[in-house]
Amino acid sequence: MAIRGGQGEALLAVTTGQPEVKERVDAARNRARVLAAAEQVFAAKDARQVTMEDIARAAGVGRATLYRRYPDPASIAAALLDEHERQLQEQLLRGEPPLGPGATPSDRLAAFYGAMTSLLDRHLHLVLGAEVGSARFGTGAYGFWRVHVRSLLVEAGVTEPNGLIEVLLAPLAPEVYQEQRRRGVSREQIAEGLTWMSHRLLMP
Amino acid sequence: MAIRGGQGEALLAVTTGQPEVKERVDAARNRARVLAAAEQVFAAKDARQVTMEDIARAAGVGRATLYRRYPDPASIAAALLDEHERQLQEQLLRGEPPLGPGATPSDRLAAFYGAMTSLLDRHLHLVLGAEVGSARFGTGAYGFWRVHVRSLLVEAGVTEPNGLIEVLLAPLAPEVYQEQRRRGVSREQIAEGLTWMSHRLLMP
DNA sequence: GAATAAGTGGACAGCGTGTCCATATGACCG
DNA sequence: CGGTCATATGGACACGCTGTCCACTTATTC
């Protein structure tokens, strides 16, 4: 498993995000430079075309400096996304219903879809950059969504949830979202479609 | 739009597959060599890592010979898949129910899922190789699946099908199928999950 | 069998990768 | 304050793949 991000990635638990050993000030300055520059670069061009060289150039640092912390551009995008994903996880675990506990599984699934489409809409570049290819499935965040969806399925009384988890998460792949937007489907329409699906699937 | 495959790709119509202008015998021989070698190469290693050089070496031809007909490895995989996809399209248009016309939309959607999982199971390497990244959405085959699913949704009385088409096709992304298999979910379980979903979604 | 068109593959320049290492720069301590 | 050490930095290198060019070869046509 590659080290992704520098401050510990959003996993099952919500961590503090403080680095273990203190970081030299020049390192911290460069980390900030790199992340700020990467944000720009991922927004400016197709996220899957972004190279380490692009980011290094934009940040004004050498490539080897990037490699010190991040093995590839996807890790840098993941680091930028980390904070947002951590917030969403927090809301799913302890937030108000219907996102947090306390609502019916179908409402919670719909709310999850709503939050995810919102995240995708705001940070599509970064998600595209972070989840290149099958890397998506290896992410800590993906593991979290899996556990969440699975528990909703079980709570709704679905007897064989295992064949459905990836199916329900598949529409949240950034390429799928991007393609829908490209075809003129709005975020609202996408969320409505997913809400309708949530209710048809999990209503008693 | 890149030229993909040599014999005209499976699009909306089922074409004959005969080349327009006659091909020189050495060209035909090399085409066969290339396709046979590519089949091996895609099966042998991660399809997304296959390079033009790999295929050229395996086929015993120069790289420029490959570039003459195919712009990238994905096109070669697409050419290999073309025949299978064309057969499935034929069955969807004119085959027996429930795959072909004559069954209820929910049964037809389930049958479509069954046929697609079968295709994915048999030729996963090739689909992974052909649909790298967002290339998936640009293929003629994907356009066909779109039209098919959309017509089933309309027939089932869904008022806003546009927000659902990509959602229903998303689970058929080769990466998703691969991930499910990697997690120990069998083809049958996947097909059952999709069948259950088809019925929940499209039953009156 | 000559003329013509099509096919072939060696070679080249360009780009991104991942790593190494000499140098520079904070951090710590006496 | 200054010396020492660990860490951080970035230029440089070798490698692999890409995409194209072009001189040469081979099949087809007349």
Coordinates of all heavy atoms in Angstrom, one line a residue, chain A residues 16-50:
Chain A
T16 N -6.7 13.3 13.9 CA -6.4 14.7 14.1 C -5.7 15.4 13.0 O -6.0 16.5 12.7 CB -5.5 14.8 15.3 OG1 -4.2 14.3 15.0 CG2 -6.0 14.1 16.5
G17 N -4.9 14.7 12.2 CA -4.3 15.3 11.1 C -3.0 16.0 11.5 O -2.3 16.6 10.6
Q18 N -2.5 15.9 12.7 CA -1.2 16.5 13.1 C -0.1 15.5 12.8 O -0.2 14.3 13.1 CB -1.2 16.8 14.6 CG -2.1 17.9 15.0 CD -1.9 19.2 14.2 OE1 -0.7 19.6 13.9 NE2 -3.0 19.8 13.7
P19 N 1.0 16.0 12.1 CA 2.1 15.1 11.8 C 2.7 14.6 13.1 O 2.8 15.3 14.1 CB 3.0 16.0 11.0 CG 2.6 17.4 11.2 CD 1.2 17.4 11.7
E20 N 3.2 13.4 13.1 CA 3.8 12.7 14.2 C 5.1 13.5 14.7 O 5.2 13.9 15.8 CB 4.2 11.3 14.0 CG 3.0 10.5 13.3 CD 1.8 10.5 14.1 OE1 1.8 10.8 15.3 OE2 0.7 10.2 13.5
V21 N 6.1 13.6 13.8 CA 7.3 14.2 14.1 C 7.2 15.7 13.5 O 6.7 15.9 12.5 CB 8.5 13.5 13.5 CG1 8.7 12.2 14.2 CG2 8.3 13.3 12.0
K22 N 7.9 16.6 14.3 CA 7.8 18.0 13.8 C 8.5 18.1 12.5 O 9.5 17.5 12.2 CB 8.3 18.9 14.9 CG 9.5 18.5 15.6 CD 9.8 19.5 16.7 CE 10.3 18.8 18.0 NZ 10.6 19.7 19.1
E23 N 8.0 19.0 11.7 CA 8.4 19.2 10.3 C 9.3 20.5 10.3 O 8.9 21.5 10.9 CB 7.2 19.4 9.5 CG 7.3 19.2 8.0 CD 6.0 19.3 7.3 OE1 5.1 20.1 7.8 OE2 5.8 18.6 6.3
R24 N 10.3 20.4 9.6 CA 11.1 21.6 9.4 C 10.3 22.7 8.7 O 9.5 22.4 7.9 CB 12.4 21.3 8.6 CG 13.6 21.0 9.5 CD 14.7 20.4 8.8 NE 15.2 21.3 7.7 CZ 16.3 21.1 7.0 NH1 17.1 20.1 7.4 NH2 16.6 21.8 6.0
V25 N 10.7 23.9 9.0 CA 9.8 25.0 8.5 C 9.9 25.1 7.0 O 8.9 25.4 6.3 CB 10.2 26.4 9.1 CG1 9.9 26.4 10.6 CG2 11.6 26.8 8.9
D26 N 11.1 24.8 6.4 CA 11.2 24.9 5.0 C 10.4 23.8 4.3 O 9.7 24.0 3.3 CB 12.6 24.9 4.5 CG 13.4 23.6 5.1 OD1 12.9 23.0 6.0 OD2 14.5 23.3 4.6
A27 N 10.3 22.6 5.0 CA 9.5 21.5 4.5 C 8.0 21.9 4.5 O 7.3 21.7 3.6 CB 9.8 20.3 5.3
A28 N 7.6 22.5 5.6 CA 6.2 22.9 5.8 C 5.9 24.0 4.7 O 4.8 23.9 4.1 CB 6.0 23.5 7.2
R29 N 6.8 24.9 4.5 CA 6.5 25.9 3.5 C 6.4 25.3 2.1 O 5.4 25.6 1.4 CB 7.7 26.9 3.5 CG 7.7 27.9 2.3 CD 8.9 28.9 2.5 NE 10.2 28.3 2.7 CZ 10.9 27.7 1.8 NH1 10.5 27.6 0.5 NH2 12.1 27.2 2.1
N30 N 7.2 24.4 1.8 CA 7.2 23.7 0.5 C 5.9 22.8 0.4 O 5.3 22.7 -0.7 CB 8.4 22.9 0.3 CG 9.5 23.7 -0.4 OD1 9.3 24.9 -0.7 ND2 10.6 23.1 -0.7
R31 N 5.5 22.2 1.5 CA 4.3 21.4 1.5 C 3.1 22.3 1.1 O 2.3 21.9 0.2 CB 4.1 20.7 2.8 CG 2.7 20.0 2.9 CD 2.3 19.7 4.3 NE 3.2 18.8 5.0 CZ 3.2 17.5 4.8 NH1 2.2 17.0 4.1 NH2 4.0 16.7 5.4
A32 N 3.1 23.4 1.7 CA 2.0 24.3 1.4 C 2.0 24.8 0.0 O 1.0 24.8 -0.7 CB 2.0 25.5 2.4
R33 N 3.2 25.1 -0.5 CA 3.4 25.6 -1.9 C 2.9 24.5 -2.8 O 2.2 24.7 -3.8 CB 4.9 25.8 -2.1 CG 5.3 27.2 -2.0 CD 6.7 27.4 -2.6 NE 7.4 28.6 -2.0 CZ 8.7 28.8 -2.2 NH1 9.4 28.0 -2.9 NH2 9.2 29.9 -1.7
V34 N 3.3 23.3 -2.5 CA 3.0 22.2 -3.4 C 1.5 22.0 -3.5 O 0.9 21.8 -4.5 CB 3.7 20.9 -2.9 CG1 3.1 19.6 -3.6 CG2 5.2 20.9 -3.2
L35 N 0.9 22.0 -2.3 CA -0.6 21.7 -2.3 C -1.3 22.8 -3.0 O -2.3 22.6 -3.8 CB -1.1 21.5 -0.9 CG -0.6 20.2 -0.2 CD1 -1.1 20.1 1.2 CD2 -1.0 19.0 -1.0
A36 N -0.9 24.1 -2.8 CA -1.6 25.2 -3.4 C -1.4 25.1 -4.9 O -2.4 25.3 -5.7 CB -1.0 26.5 -2.9
A37 N -0.2 24.8 -5.3 CA 0.1 24.7 -6.8 C -0.7 23.6 -7.4 O -1.3 23.7 -8.5 CB 1.6 24.6 -7.0
A38 N -0.7 22.4 -6.7 CA -1.4 21.3 -7.2 C -2.9 21.6 -7.4 O -3.5 21.2 -8.4 CB -1.2 20.1 -6.3
E39 N -3.5 22.2 -6.5 CA -4.9 22.6 -6.6 C -5.1 23.3 -7.9 O -6.0 23.0 -8.7 CB -5.3 23.5 -5.4 CG -6.7 24.0 -5.4 CD -7.6 23.2 -4.5 OE1 -7.2 23.0 -3.3 OE2 -8.6 22.7 -5.0
Q40 N -4.3 24.3 -8.2 CA -4.4 25.1 -9.5 C -4.2 24.1 -10.7 O -5.0 24.2 -11.6 CB -3.3 26.1 -9.5 CG -3.2 27.1 -8.4 CD -4.4 28.0 -8.4 OE1 -5.0 28.4 -9.4 NE2 -4.9 28.4 -7.2
V41 N -3.2 23.3 -10.6 CA -2.8 22.5 -11.8 C -4.0 21.5 -12.1 O -4.4 21.4 -13.2 CB -1.5 21.7 -11.5 CG1 -1.3 20.7 -12.7 CG2 -0.4 22.7 -11.4
F42 N -4.5 20.9 -11.0 CA -5.6 19.9 -11.3 C -6.8 20.6 -11.8 O -7.5 20.0 -12.6 CB -5.9 19.2 -10.0 CG -5.0 18.1 -9.7 CD1 -4.2 18.1 -8.6 CD2 -5.0 16.9 -10.5 CE1 -3.3 17.0 -8.3 CE2 -4.1 15.9 -10.2 CZ -3.3 15.9 -9.1
A43 N -7.0 21.9 -11.4 CA -8.2 22.6 -12.0 C -8.0 23.0 -13.4 O -8.9 23.1 -14.2 CB -8.5 23.8 -11.1
A44 N -6.7 23.3 -13.7 CA -6.4 23.9 -15.0 C -6.5 22.9 -16.2 O -6.9 23.3 -17.3 CB -5.1 24.6 -15.0
K45 N -6.0 21.7 -16.0 CA -6.0 20.8 -17.1 C -6.6 19.4 -16.7 O -6.8 19.2 -15.5 CB -4.6 20.6 -17.6 CG -3.6 20.1 -16.6 CD -2.2 20.0 -17.2 CE -2.0 18.9 -18.2 NZ -0.5 18.7 -18.5
D46 N -6.8 18.6 -17.7 CA -7.4 17.3 -17.4 C -6.6 16.6 -16.3 O -5.4 16.4 -16.4 CB -7.3 16.4 -18.7 CG -7.8 15.0 -18.5 OD1 -8.4 14.8 -17.4 OD2 -7.6 14.2 -19.3
A47 N -7.3 16.2 -15.2 CA -6.6 15.7 -14.0 C -5.8 14.5 -14.3 O -4.8 14.3 -13.6 CB -7.6 15.4 -12.9
R48 N -6.2 13.7 -15.3 CA -5.4 12.5 -15.5 C -4.2 12.7 -16.3 O -3.3 11.8 -16.5 CB -6.3 11.5 -16.3 CG -7.2 10.7 -15.3 CD -8.4 10.2 -15.9 NE -9.2 11.4 -16.4 CZ -10.4 11.3 -16.8 NH1 -11.1 10.2 -16.7 NH2 -11.0 12.4 -17.3
Q49 N -4.0 13.9 -16.8 CA -2.8 14.3 -17.6 C -1.8 15.0 -16.7 O -0.7 15.3 -17.2 CB -3.2 15.2 -18.8 CG -4.3 14.7 -19.6 CD -3.9 13.6 -20.6 OE1 -2.8 13.7 -21.1 NE2 -4.8 12.7 -20.9
V50 N -2.1 15.3 -15.5 CA -1.2 16.0 -14.6 C 0.0 15.2 -14.3 O -0.2 14.0 -13.8 CB -2.0 16.5 -13.4 CG1 -1.0 17.1 -12.4 CG2 -3.0 17.5 -13.7

